[in-house]
Coordinates of all heavy atoms in Angstrom, one line a residue:
M239 N 0.8 -1.2 -0.1 CA 0.0 0.0 0.0 C 0.9 1.2 0.0 O 1.8 1.4 0.7 CB -0.9 0.0 1.2 CG -2.2 -0.7 1.0 SD -3.3 0.0 -0.3 CE -4.1 1.4 0.5
G240 N 0.4 2.2 -0.8 CA 1.2 3.5 -0.8 C 0.2 4.5 -1.1 O -1.0 4.3 -0.9
C241 N 0.7 5.6 -1.6 CA -0.2 6.8 -1.8 C -1.0 6.5 -3.1 O -0.4 6.1 -4.1 CB 0.7 8.1 -2.0 SG -0.3 9.4 -2.5
E242 N -2.3 6.7 -3.0 CA -3.2 6.5 -4.1 C -3.1 7.6 -5.3 O -3.6 7.4 -6.3 CB -4.7 6.4 -3.7 CG -4.8 5.2 -2.8 CD -6.4 5.0 -2.4 OE1 -7.3 5.0 -3.4 OE2 -6.7 5.0 -1.3
L243 N -2.5 8.7 -4.9 CA -2.4 9.8 -5.8 C -1.1 9.8 -6.5 O -1.0 9.6 -7.8 CB -2.6 11.1 -5.1 CG -2.9 12.3 -5.9 CD1 -4.1 12.1 -6.9 CD2 -3.2 13.5 -5.0
C244 N 0.1 9.7 -5.9 CA 1.3 9.7 -6.5 C 1.9 8.3 -6.7 O 2.8 8.1 -7.6 CB 2.3 10.6 -5.8 SG 2.8 9.9 -4.2
G245 N 1.3 7.3 -6.0 CA 1.7 5.9 -6.2 C 3.0 5.5 -5.6 O 3.5 4.4 -5.7
R246 N 3.6 6.4 -4.8 CA 4.8 6.1 -4.1 C 4.5 5.3 -2.8 O 3.5 5.4 -2.2 CB 5.5 7.4 -3.7 CG 6.0 8.2 -4.9 CD 6.7 9.5 -4.4 NE 5.9 10.2 -3.4 CZ 6.4 10.8 -2.4 NH1 7.7 10.9 -2.2 NH2 5.6 11.4 -1.5
A247 N 5.4 4.3 -2.6 CA 5.2 3.4 -1.4 C 5.8 4.1 -0.2 O 6.8 3.8 0.3 CB 6.0 2.2 -1.6
V248 N 5.0 5.1 0.4 CA 5.3 5.8 1.5 C 4.2 5.7 2.5 O 3.1 5.4 2.2 CB 5.8 7.3 1.3 CG1 7.1 7.4 0.4 CG2 4.6 8.0 0.5
E249 N 4.4 6.2 3.8 CA 3.4 6.3 4.7 C 2.2 7.2 4.3 O 2.5 8.3 3.7 CB 4.0 6.8 6.0 CG 3.3 6.4 7.3 CD 3.9 7.0 8.5 OE1 5.2 6.9 8.6 OE2 3.3 7.7 9.3
T250 N 1.0 6.8 4.6 CA -0.1 7.7 4.1 C -1.0 8.1 5.2 O -1.0 7.6 6.3 CB -1.0 6.7 3.2 OG1 -1.4 5.6 3.8 CG2 -0.2 6.5 1.9
T251 N -1.8 9.1 4.9 CA -2.8 9.6 5.8 C -4.2 9.4 5.1 O -4.3 9.2 3.9 CB -2.6 11.1 6.0 OG1 -2.7 11.8 4.7 CG2 -1.3 11.4 6.7
T252 N -5.2 9.6 5.9 CA -6.6 9.4 5.4 C -7.2 10.7 4.9 O -7.3 11.8 5.6 CB -7.5 8.9 6.5 OG1 -6.9 7.7 7.0 CG2 -8.9 8.6 5.9
H253 N -7.5 10.8 3.6 CA -8.2 11.8 3.0 C -9.7 11.5 2.8 O -10.0 10.5 2.3 CB -7.6 12.2 1.6 CG -8.4 13.3 1.0 ND1 -8.5 14.6 1.4 CD2 -9.0 13.1 -0.2 CE1 -9.2 15.2 0.5 NE2 -9.5 14.4 -0.5
H254 N -10.6 12.4 3.3 CA -12.0 12.2 3.1 C -12.4 12.9 1.8 O -12.2 14.1 1.6 CB -12.7 12.8 4.3 CG -12.6 12.0 5.6 ND1 -11.5 12.3 6.4 CD2 -13.3 11.1 6.1 CE1 -11.6 11.4 7.4 NE2 -12.7 10.7 7.2
L255 N -12.8 12.1 0.8 CA -13.0 12.6 -0.5 C -14.2 13.6 -0.5 O -14.3 14.4 -1.4 CB -13.3 11.4 -1.5 CG -12.1 10.6 -1.7 CD1 -12.4 9.2 -2.2 CD2 -11.2 11.2 -2.7
I256 N -15.1 13.5 0.4 CA -16.2 14.5 0.5 C -16.0 15.2 1.8 O -16.6 14.8 2.9 CB -17.5 13.8 0.4 CG1 -17.6 13.0 -0.9 CG2 -18.6 15.0 0.4 CD1 -18.9 12.2 -1.1
P257 N -15.3 16.3 1.9 CA -15.0 17.0 3.1 C -16.3 17.5 3.8 O -17.3 17.7 3.0 CB -14.2 18.2 2.7 CG -13.6 17.9 1.4 CD -14.7 17.0 0.8
K258 N -16.3 17.6 5.0 CA -17.5 18.0 5.8 C -18.6 16.9 5.8 O -19.6 17.2 6.4 CB -18.1 19.3 5.2 CG -17.2 20.4 5.4 CD -17.8 21.8 5.0 CE -16.9 22.9 5.3 NZ -17.3 24.1 4.7
N259 N -18.3 15.8 5.3 CA -19.3 14.7 5.4 C -18.6 13.4 5.8 O -18.6 12.4 5.2 CB -20.1 14.5 4.2 CG -21.4 13.5 4.5 OD1 -21.5 13.2 5.6 ND2 -22.1 13.3 3.4
R260 N -17.7 13.6 6.8 CA -16.7 12.6 7.2 C -17.3 11.2 7.5 O -16.6 10.2 7.2 CB -15.9 13.1 8.3 CG -14.9 14.2 7.9 CD -14.1 14.8 9.0 NE -13.1 15.5 8.5 CZ -11.8 15.1 8.5 NH1 -11.4 14.1 9.2 NH2 -10.9 15.9 8.0
T261 N -18.4 11.2 8.1 CA -19.0 9.9 8.5 C -19.3 9.0 7.2 O -19.2 7.8 7.2 CB -20.2 10.0 9.4 OG1 -21.1 10.9 8.9 CG2 -19.8 10.4 10.8
E262 N -19.9 9.7 6.2 CA -20.3 8.9 5.0 C -19.3 9.0 3.9 O -19.4 8.3 2.9 CB -21.6 9.5 4.5 CG -22.8 9.1 5.4 CD -24.0 9.9 5.0 OE1 -24.2 10.1 3.9 OE2 -24.7 10.4 6.0
S263 N -18.3 9.9 4.0 CA -17.4 10.1 2.9 C -16.5 8.9 2.7 O -16.0 8.3 3.6 CB -16.5 11.3 3.2 OG -15.4 11.4 2.3
P264 N -16.3 8.6 1.3 CA -15.4 7.5 1.0 C -13.9 8.1 1.3 O -13.9 9.4 1.4 CB -15.5 7.3 -0.4 CG -16.2 8.5 -1.0 CD -17.0 9.0 0.2
T265 N -13.0 7.3 1.6 CA -11.7 7.9 2.0 C -10.6 7.4 1.0 O -10.8 6.4 0.2 CB -11.2 7.4 3.4 OG1 -11.2 6.0 3.5 CG2 -12.2 8.0 4.4
A266 N -9.5 8.1 0.9 CA -8.4 7.7 0.1 C -7.2 7.8 1.0 O -7.1 8.5 1.9 CB -8.2 8.6 -1.2
R267 N -6.1 6.9 0.6 CA -4.9 7.0 1.3 C -4.0 7.9 0.5 O -3.6 7.6 -0.6 CB -4.2 5.6 1.5 CG -5.2 4.5 2.1 CD -5.5 4.8 3.5 NE -4.4 5.1 4.3 CZ -4.6 5.5 5.6 NH1 -5.7 5.8 6.1 NH2 -3.5 5.8 6.3
L268 N -3.5 9.0 1.1 CA -2.7 9.9 0.5 C -1.4 10.1 1.4 O -1.6 10.3 2.5 CB -3.4 11.3 0.2 CG -4.7 11.3 -0.6 CD1 -5.1 12.8 -0.7 CD2 -4.4 10.7 -1.9
C269 N -0.3 10.3 0.7 CA 0.9 10.6 1.5 C 0.8 12.1 2.0 O 0.0 12.8 1.5 CB 2.2 10.4 0.7 SG 2.4 11.5 -0.7
Q270 N 1.6 12.4 2.9 CA 1.5 13.8 3.5 C 1.6 14.9 2.4 O 0.8 15.9 2.4 CB 2.4 14.0 4.6 CG 2.2 15.2 5.5 CD 3.1 16.4 5.0 OE1 3.8 16.2 4.1 NE2 2.8 17.6 5.6
P271 N 2.6 14.8 1.6 CA 2.8 15.9 0.6 C 1.6 16.0 -0.4 O 1.1 17.1 -0.6 CB 4.0 15.5 -0.2 CG 4.8 14.6 0.8 CD 3.8 13.9 1.6
C272 N 1.0 14.8 -0.8 CA -0.1 14.9 -1.7 C -1.3 15.4 -1.0 O -2.1 16.3 -1.5 CB -0.5 13.5 -2.3 SG 0.7 13.0 -3.6
H273 N -1.5 15.0 0.3 CA -2.7 15.5 1.0 C -2.7 17.0 1.2 O -3.6 17.7 1.0 CB -2.7 14.7 2.4 CG -4.0 14.6 3.0 ND1 -4.3 13.9 4.1 CD2 -5.2 15.3 2.6 CE1 -5.5 14.1 4.4 NE2 -6.2 14.8 3.6
K274 N -1.5 17.4 1.6 CA -1.3 18.9 1.8 C -1.6 19.6 0.5 O -2.3 20.7 0.5 CB 0.2 19.2 2.1 CG 0.4 19.1 3.6 CD 0.3 20.4 4.2 CE 0.6 20.4 5.7 NZ 0.1 21.5 6.4
Q275 N -1.0 19.1 -0.6 CA -1.2 19.8 -1.9 C -2.7 19.8 -2.4 O -3.2 20.8 -2.8 CB -0.3 19.0 -3.0 CG -0.3 19.7 -4.3 CD 0.4 21.0 -4.3 OE1 1.3 21.3 -3.5 NE2 0.1 22.0 -5.2
V276 N -3.4 18.8 -2.1 CA -4.8 18.6 -2.5 C -5.6 19.8 -1.7 O -6.4 20.5 -2.3 CB -5.4 17.2 -2.2 CG1 -6.9 17.3 -2.1 CG2 -4.9 16.2 -3.1
H277 N -5.3 19.8 -0.4 CA -6.0 20.9 0.3 C -5.6 22.4 0.0 O -6.4 23.2 0.2 CB -6.0 20.6 1.8 CG -6.9 19.4 2.1 ND1 -8.3 19.5 2.2 CD2 -6.7 18.1 2.3 CE1 -8.8 18.3 2.4 NE2 -7.8 17.5 2.6
A278 N -4.4 22.4 -0.4 CA -3.9 23.8 -0.7 C -4.4 24.3 -2.1 O -4.5 25.4 -2.4 CB -2.4 23.8 -0.7
T279 N -4.7 23.2 -2.9 CA -5.1 23.5 -4.3 C -6.6 23.7 -4.5 O -7.1 24.5 -5.3 CB -4.6 22.4 -5.2 OG1 -3.2 22.2 -5.1 CG2 -4.9 22.7 -6.7
F280 N -7.4 22.9 -3.8 CA -8.8 22.9 -4.0 C -9.6 23.4 -2.7 O -9.1 23.0 -1.6 CB -9.3 21.6 -4.4 CG -8.7 21.0 -5.6 CD1 -7.7 20.0 -5.6 CD2 -8.9 21.6 -6.9 CE1 -7.1 19.5 -6.7 CE2 -8.3 21.2 -8.1 CZ -7.3 20.1 -8.0
T281 N -10.6 24.0 -2.9 CA -11.5 24.4 -1.8 C -12.3 23.1 -1.5 O -12.5 22.2 -2.4 CB -12.4 25.5 -2.1 OG1 -13.3 24.9 -3.2 CG2 -11.7 26.8 -2.5
H282 N -13.0 23.1 -0.3 CA -13.8 22.0 0.0 C -14.9 21.9 -1.0 O -15.3 20.8 -1.4 CB -14.4 22.2 1.4 CG -13.5 21.7 2.5 ND1 -13.7 22.0 3.8 CD2 -12.2 21.2 2.4 CE1 -12.7 21.4 4.6 NE2 -11.8 21.0 3.7
H283 N -15.4 23.0 -1.4 CA -16.5 23.0 -2.4 C -16.0 22.3 -3.8 O -16.7 21.5 -4.3 CB -16.9 24.4 -2.7 CG -18.1 24.4 -3.6 ND1 -19.4 24.2 -3.3 CD2 -18.1 24.8 -5.0 CE1 -20.2 24.3 -4.4 NE2 -19.5 24.7 -5.4
E284 N -14.9 22.7 -4.2 CA -14.4 22.1 -5.4 C -14.1 20.5 -5.2 O -14.4 19.8 -6.1 CB -13.1 22.7 -5.8 CG -13.2 24.1 -6.4 CD -11.9 24.8 -6.6 OE1 -11.0 24.7 -5.7 OE2 -11.8 25.5 -7.6
L285 N -13.6 20.1 -4.0 CA -13.4 18.7 -3.8 C -14.7 18.0 -3.9 O -14.8 16.9 -4.6 CB -12.7 18.6 -2.4 CG -11.3 19.0 -2.3 CD1 -10.8 18.9 -0.8 CD2 -10.4 18.2 -3.2
K286 N -15.7 18.6 -3.2 CA -17.0 17.8 -3.2 C -17.6 17.9 -4.6 O -18.2 16.8 -5.0 CB -17.9 18.6 -2.3 CG -19.2 17.9 -1.9 CD -19.9 18.6 -0.8 CE -21.4 18.7 -1.2 NZ -22.1 19.8 -0.6
Q287 N -17.6 18.9 -5.4 CA -18.2 19.0 -6.6 C -17.5 18.2 -7.7 O -18.2 17.6 -8.6 CB -18.3 20.5 -7.1 CG -19.2 21.3 -6.1 CD -20.7 20.8 -6.2 OE1 -21.2 20.6 -7.2 NE2 -21.3 20.7 -5.0
E288 N -16.1 18.4 -7.7 CA -15.4 17.9 -8.9 C -14.4 16.8 -8.7 O -14.0 16.0 -9.6 CB -14.7 19.0 -9.7 CG -15.7 20.1 -10.1 CD -14.9 21.3 -10.7 OE1 -14.0 21.1 -11.6 OE2 -15.1 22.5 -10.1
Y289 N -13.9 16.8 -7.4 CA -12.8 15.9 -7.2 C -13.1 14.9 -6.0 O -12.3 14.9 -5.1 CB -11.5 16.7 -6.9 CG -11.2 17.6 -8.1 CD1 -11.4 19.0 -8.1 CD2 -10.6 17.0 -9.2 CE1 -11.1 19.7 -9.2 CE2 -10.3 17.8 -10.4 CZ -10.5 19.2 -10.3 OH -10.3 20.0 -11.4
D290 N -14.2 14.2 -6.1 CA -14.6 13.4 -5.0 C -14.2 11.9 -5.3 O -14.7 11.0 -4.6 CB -16.1 13.5 -4.7 CG -16.9 13.1 -6.0 OD1 -16.4 13.0 -7.0 OD2 -18.1 12.8 -5.8
T291 N -13.3 11.8 -6.3 CA -12.8 10.4 -6.5 C -11.3 10.6 -6.7 O -10.7 11.6 -7.1 CB -13.3 9.7 -7.8 OG1 -12.9 10.5 -8.9 CG2 -14.9 9.6 -7.7
V292 N -10.5 9.5 -6.4 CA -9.1 9.6 -6.5 C -8.8 9.6 -8.0 O -7.8 10.4 -8.4 CB -8.4 8.2 -5.9 CG1 -6.9 8.2 -6.3 CG2 -8.6 8.2 -4.5
E293 N -9.5 9.1 -8.9 CA -9.3 9.2 -10.3 C -9.4 10.7 -10.8 O -8.6 11.2 -11.6 CB -10.4 8.3 -11.1 CG -10.1 6.9 -11.0 CD -10.5 6.3 -9.6 OE1 -11.4 7.0 -8.9 OE2 -9.8 5.3 -9.2
A294 N -10.4 11.3 -10.2 CA -10.5 12.8 -10.6 C -9.3 13.5 -10.1 O -8.8 14.5 -10.9 CB -11.8 13.3 -10.0
L295 N -8.9 13.4 -8.9 CA -7.8 14.0 -8.4 C -6.5 13.7 -9.3 O -5.7 14.6 -9.5 CB -7.5 13.7 -6.9 CG -8.5 14.2 -5.8 CD1 -8.2 13.6 -4.5 CD2 -8.3 15.8 -5.7
R296 N -6.3 12.5 -9.5 CA -5.1 12.1 -10.3 C -5.1 12.8 -11.7 O -4.0 13.0 -12.2 CB -5.2 10.5 -10.5 CG -4.0 9.8 -10.0 CD -4.1 8.3 -10.4 NE -4.3 7.5 -9.2 CZ -5.1 6.5 -9.1 NH1 -5.9 6.1 -10.2 NH2 -5.3 5.8 -8.0
G297 N -6.3 13.0 -12.3 CA -6.3 13.7 -13.6 C -6.5 15.2 -13.6 O -6.5 15.8 -14.6
A298 N -6.5 15.8 -12.3 CA -6.6 17.2 -12.1 C -5.5 17.9 -12.8 O -4.4 17.8 -12.4 CB -6.9 17.6 -10.7
E299 N -5.9 18.8 -13.6 CA -4.8 19.6 -14.3 C -3.9 20.4 -13.4 O -2.7 20.4 -13.5 CB -5.5 20.6 -15.3 CG -4.5 21.0 -16.5 CD -5.3 21.6 -17.5 OE1 -6.3 21.0 -18.1 OE2 -4.9 22.7 -18.0
R300 N -4.5 21.0 -12.4 CA -3.8 21.8 -11.4 C -2.8 21.0 -10.5 O -2.1 21.6 -9.7 CB -4.7 22.6 -10.5 CG -5.2 23.8 -11.2 CD -6.0 24.7 -10.2 NE -7.5 24.3 -10.3 CZ -8.4 24.6 -9.4 NH1 -8.1 25.2 -8.3 NH2 -9.7 24.2 -9.6
L301 N -2.9 19.6 -10.6 CA -2.1 18.8 -9.7 C -0.9 18.2 -10.5 O 0.0 17.6 -9.9 CB -2.8 17.7 -9.0 CG -3.7 18.1 -7.9 CD1 -4.5 16.9 -7.4 CD2 -3.1 18.8 -6.8
Q302 N -1.0 18.3 -11.8 CA 0.0 17.6 -12.7 C 1.4 18.0 -12.5 O 2.3 17.1 -12.4 CB -0.3 17.7 -14.2 CG -1.7 17.1 -14.5 CD -1.9 15.8 -14.0 OE1 -1.2 14.8 -14.2 NE2 -3.0 15.6 -13.2
S303 N 1.8 19.2 -12.3 CA 3.2 19.6 -12.1 C 3.6 19.2 -10.8 O 4.8 18.7 -10.6 CB 3.4 21.1 -12.3 OG 2.5 21.9 -11.5
F304 N 2.8 19.3 -9.7 CA 3.1 18.8 -8.4 C 3.4 17.2 -8.5 O 4.4 16.8 -7.9 CB 2.0 19.0 -7.4 CG 2.2 18.2 -6.1 CD1 3.1 18.7 -5.1 CD2 1.4 17.1 -5.9 CE1 3.2 18.0 -4.0 CE2 1.6 16.3 -4.8 CZ 2.5 16.7 -3.8
L305 N 2.5 16.5 -9.1 CA 2.7 15.0 -9.1 C 3.9 14.6 -9.9 O 4.6 13.7 -9.5 CB 1.4 14.4 -9.8 CG 0.2 14.5 -8.9 CD1 -1.1 13.9 -9.7 CD2 0.3 13.6 -7.6
A306 N 4.1 15.3 -11.0 CA 5.4 15.0 -11.8 C 6.7 15.2 -10.9 O 7.6 14.5 -11.0 CB 5.5 15.9 -13.0
W307 N 6.5 16.2 -10.1 CA 7.7 16.6 -9.1 C 7.8 15.6 -8.0 O 8.8 15.0 -7.8 CB 7.6 18.0 -8.6 CG 8.4 18.2 -7.5 CD1 9.9 18.5 -7.7 CD2 8.2 18.3 -6.1 NE1 10.4 18.8 -6.4 CE2 9.4 18.7 -5.5 CE3 7.1 18.2 -5.4 CZ2 9.6 18.8 -4.1 CZ3 7.2 18.4 -4.0 CH2 8.3 18.7 -3.4
I308 N 6.7 15.3 -7.3 CA 6.7 14.5 -6.1 C 7.1 13.0 -6.4 O 7.8 12.4 -5.7 CB 5.4 14.6 -5.3 CG1 5.6 14.1 -3.9 CG2 4.3 13.8 -5.9 CD1 6.4 15.1 -3.0
R309 N 6.7 12.6 -7.6 CA 7.1 11.2 -7.9 C 8.6 11.0 -8.1 O 9.0 9.9 -8.1 CB 6.3 10.9 -9.3 CG 4.8 10.5 -9.1 CD 4.1 10.2 -10.4 NE 2.8 9.9 -10.2 CZ 1.7 10.4 -10.8 NH1 1.9 11.2 -11.9 NH2 0.5 10.1 -10.5
K310 N 9.2 12.1 -8.4 CA 10.6 11.9 -8.5 C 11.4 12.1 -7.3 O 12.6 12.0 -7.2 CB 11.1 12.9 -9.6 CG 10.8 12.6 -11.0 CD 11.5 13.6 -12.0 CE 10.4 14.7 -12.3 NZ 10.8 15.7 -13.2
T311 N 10.8 12.5 -6.2 CA 11.4 12.6 -4.9 C 11.1 11.5 -4.0 O 10.2 10.8 -4.2 CB 10.9 14.0 -4.3 OG1 9.6 13.8 -3.6 CG2 10.9 15.1 -5.3
D312 N 11.8 11.5 -2.8 CA 11.4 10.5 -1.8 C 11.0 11.3 -0.6 O 11.0 10.9 0.5 CB 12.6 9.6 -1.5 CG 13.9 10.4 -1.1 OD1 13.8 11.7 -1.0 OD2 14.9 9.7 -0.9
K313 N 10.5 12.5 -0.8 CA 10.0 13.3 0.4 C 8.7 12.7 1.0 O 7.9 12.3 0.2 CB 9.6 14.7 -0.2 CG 10.9 15.6 -0.5 CD 10.4 16.9 -0.8 CE 11.5 17.8 -1.5 NZ 12.7 18.0 -0.6
T314 N 8.7 12.7 2.3 CA 7.5 12.2 2.9 C 6.8 13.3 3.7 O 5.6 13.2 4.1 CB 7.8 11.0 4.0 OG1 8.8 11.5 4.8 CG2 8.3 9.8 3.2
H315 N 7.5 14.4 3.9 CA 6.8 15.7 4.4 C 7.2 16.9 3.7 O 8.4 17.1 3.4 CB 7.1 15.7 5.8 CG 6.5 14.8 6.7 ND1 7.0 13.5 7.0 CD2 5.2 14.7 7.4 CE1 6.1 12.8 7.7 NE2 5.1 13.5 8.0
V316 N 6.3 17.7 3.3 CA 6.5 19.0 2.7 C 5.7 20.0 3.4 O 4.6 19.8 3.9 CB 6.3 19.0 1.2 CG1 7.2 18.1 0.5 CG2 4.9 18.7 0.9
R317 N 6.2 21.2 3.2 CA 5.4 22.4 3.7 C 4.8 23.1 2.5 O 5.5 23.3 1.6 CB 6.3 23.4 4.4 CG 5.7 24.0 5.6 CD 6.7 25.1 6.1 NE 6.5 26.3 5.5 CZ 5.7 27.2 5.9 NH1 5.0 27.2 7.0 NH2 5.4 28.4 5.2
V318 N 3.5 23.2 2.5 CA 2.9 23.7 1.4 C 2.1 25.0 1.9 O 1.3 24.9 2.7 CB 1.8 22.8 0.7 CG1 1.2 23.4 -0.5 CG2 2.6 21.6 0.2
D319 N 2.3 26.1 1.2 CA 1.6 27.3 1.6 C 0.2 27.3 0.8 O 0.2 27.0 -0.4 CB 2.3 28.6 1.3 CG 3.5 28.7 2.1 OD1 3.4 28.5 3.3 OD2 4.6 29.1 1.7
D320 N -0.8 27.5 1.6 CA -2.1 27.6 0.9 C -2.1 28.7 -0.1 O -1.5 29.8 0.1 CB -3.2 27.9 1.9 CG -3.4 26.7 2.9 OD1 -2.9 25.6 2.6 OD2 -4.1 27.0 3.9
S321 N -2.6 28.5 -1.3 CA -2.6 29.5 -2.3 C -3.6 30.6 -1.8 O -4.5 30.3 -1.0 CB -3.2 28.8 -3.6 OG -4.5 28.5 -3.5
D322 N -3.3 31.8 -2.4 CA -4.3 32.9 -2.0 C -5.7 32.6 -2.3 O -6.7 32.9 -1.6 CB -3.9 34.1 -2.7 CG -2.6 34.7 -2.2 OD1 -2.2 34.3 -1.2 OD2 -1.9 35.4 -2.9
R323 N -5.8 31.9 -3.4 CA -7.2 31.5 -3.9 C -7.9 30.7 -2.8 O -9.2 31.1 -2.5 CB -7.0 30.6 -5.1 CG -8.1 30.9 -6.1 CD -7.9 30.0 -7.3 NE -9.1 29.3 -7.5 CZ -9.2 28.1 -7.1 NH1 -8.3 27.4 -6.4 NH2 -10.3 27.4 -7.3
V324 N -7.2 29.8 -2.2 CA -8.0 28.9 -1.2 C -8.2 29.7 0.0 O -9.2 29.6 0.7 CB -7.1 27.6 -0.9 CG1 -7.8 26.9 0.2 CG2 -7.1 26.7 -2.2
R325 N -7.2 30.5 0.4 CA -7.3 31.2 1.7 C -8.5 32.2 1.6 O -9.3 32.4 2.5 CB -6.0 32.0 1.9 CG -5.8 32.2 3.4 CD -4.5 33.0 3.6 NE -3.4 32.2 3.2 CZ -2.4 32.7 2.4 NH1 -2.4 33.8 2.1 NH2 -1.4 31.8 2.1
R326 N -8.8 32.7 0.4 CA -9.8 33.7 0.2 C -11.2 33.0 0.5 O -12.1 33.6 0.9 CB -9.7 34.3 -1.1 CG -9.9 35.8 -1.0 CD -9.8 36.4 -2.4 NE -8.6 36.1 -3.1 CZ -8.5 35.7 -4.4 NH1 -9.5 35.4 -5.2 NH2 -7.3 35.5 -4.9
W327 N -11.3 31.7 0.1 CA -12.5 31.0 0.1 C -12.9 30.5 1.5 O -13.9 30.2 1.9 CB -12.4 29.7 -0.8 CG -12.8 30.0 -2.2 CD1 -11.9 30.5 -3.2 CD2 -14.0 30.0 -2.8 NE1 -12.7 30.6 -4.3 CE2 -14.0 30.4 -4.2 CE3 -15.3 29.5 -2.2 CZ2 -15.0 30.3 -5.0 CZ3 -16.4 29.6 -3.1 CH2 -16.3 30.0 -4.5
R328 N -11.8 30.4 2.3 CA -11.9 29.7 3.6 C -12.8 30.7 4.6 O -12.8 31.9 4.5 CB -10.6 29.5 4.2 CG -10.6 28.2 4.9 CD -9.2 27.8 5.2 NE -8.7 26.6 4.3 CZ -7.5 26.3 4.1 NH1 -6.5 26.9 4.8 NH2 -7.2 25.3 3.3
D329 N -13.5 30.0 5.5 CA -14.2 30.7 6.6 C -15.5 31.3 6.1 O -15.8 31.2 4.9 CB -13.4 31.8 7.3 CG -12.1 31.2 7.9 OD1 -12.2 30.0 8.4 OD2 -11.1 31.9 7.8
Ligands
ZN1488 ZN1 1.4 10.9 -2.7
ZN1489 ZN1 -7.9 15.5 3.1

């Protein structure tokens, strides 16, 4: 078992594919960098509306450069600054 997004065999965390509905939400196993990146890139609304499957996330245009990069590294933890876009949407 590894990360369902980048496919690397590293430790993973639980991502709820439908945020805010954690009890019924399907989950995915994502490594910390991918998990961080997903939440920094998309709002909860976008995740729920468009990216509620691992397949959708894997194909997301906004994640492609990150995925291409992370797959070449062995990083298990990264710091990701939330984009202004997401920060504006929050709260
Ligand atoms: Zn990953
Ligand atoms: Zn998550």
Side-chain angles (χ1 to χ4, degrees):
M239 270 304 273
C241 174
E242 292 184 54
L243 197 50
C244 67
R246 298 179 308 145
V248 293
E249 206 181 308
T250 56
T251 57
T252 302
H253 171 62
H254 291 82
L255 289 161
I256 306 173
K258 293 187 175 169
N259 191 3
R260 288 175 164 248
T261 47
E262 290 167 41
S263 171
T265 59
R267 306 299 307 172
L268 303 184
C269 68
Q270 190 269 356
C272 284
H273 203 171
K274 275 263 182 205
Q275 187 68 25
V276 162
H277 285 285
T279 305
F280 303 111
T281 62
H282 278 175
H283 183 75
E284 289 172 315
L285 290 172
K286 191 174 129 199
Q287 296 296 314
E288 300 174 53
Y289 300 103
D290 60 347
T291 65
V292 174
E293 289 71 28
L295 285 171
R296 238 184 249 140
E299 204 163 310
R300 275 184 273 163
L301 290 178
Q302 295 313 303
S303 56
F304 165 81
L305 288 174
W307 169 74
I308 198 73
R309 282 178 180 135
K310 282 185 270 181
T311 79
D312 56 4
K313 287 184 195 297
T314 53
H315 286 88
V316 294
R317 220 185 84 92
V318 178
D319 290 320
D320 292 346
S321 67
D322 288 343
R323 216 178 124 268
V324 171
R325 204 176 300 131
R326 229 179 299 135
W327 273 89
R328 219 166 256 166
D329 305 321

